[in-house]
Amino acid sequence: GLSTEELQDLAKAGEEGRAKKCTTRDLPMILAQSTTANTQGQNRDGSFWGATTVASTMRLAHLAGISTFVTGGIGGGQNS
């Protein structure tokens, strides 16, 4: 889970353009950008967040050896 501070930063990140919707094709780039920013000390005042899609969550769960996960909904919400 996330701490209260992390949840607050994630909420602000969406408004500030520091959050990106990440599907499976985006994961390598987001991880590389995050790693680069962390090694250069750029994330001290606010992290860059990646919000996973169901597809990327499934992929990450598989890579982590997690066989079951639950999602609140799938698809179409961004078009409403």
Side-chain angles (χ1 to χ4, degrees):
L2 298 175
S3 69
T4 300
E5 292 80 18
E6 289 170 325
L7 285 171
Q8 289 172 345
D9 187 51
L10 176 56
K12 291 177 187 175
E15 296 172 354
E16 297 170 356
R18 295 184 293 115
K20 178 173 174 36
K21 183 176 178 180
C22 302
T23 191
T24 51
R25 71 170 180 258
D26 302 320
L27 292 174
M29 184 62 71
I30 293 299
L31 291 171
Q33 288 174 340
S34 178
T35 301
T36 300
N38 284 332
T39 59
Q40 295 176 354
Q42 296 173 0
N43 280 355
R44 291 190 182 133
D45 295 325
S47 296
F48 186 84
W49 292 89
T52 57
T53 62
V54 173
S56 59
T57 302
M58 282 190 337
R59 180 69 180 142
L60 293 168
H62 174 74
L63 291 171
I66 299 169
S67 60
T68 304
F69 73 93
V70 177
T71 182
I74 53 173
Q78 70 277 6
N79 296 325
S80 299

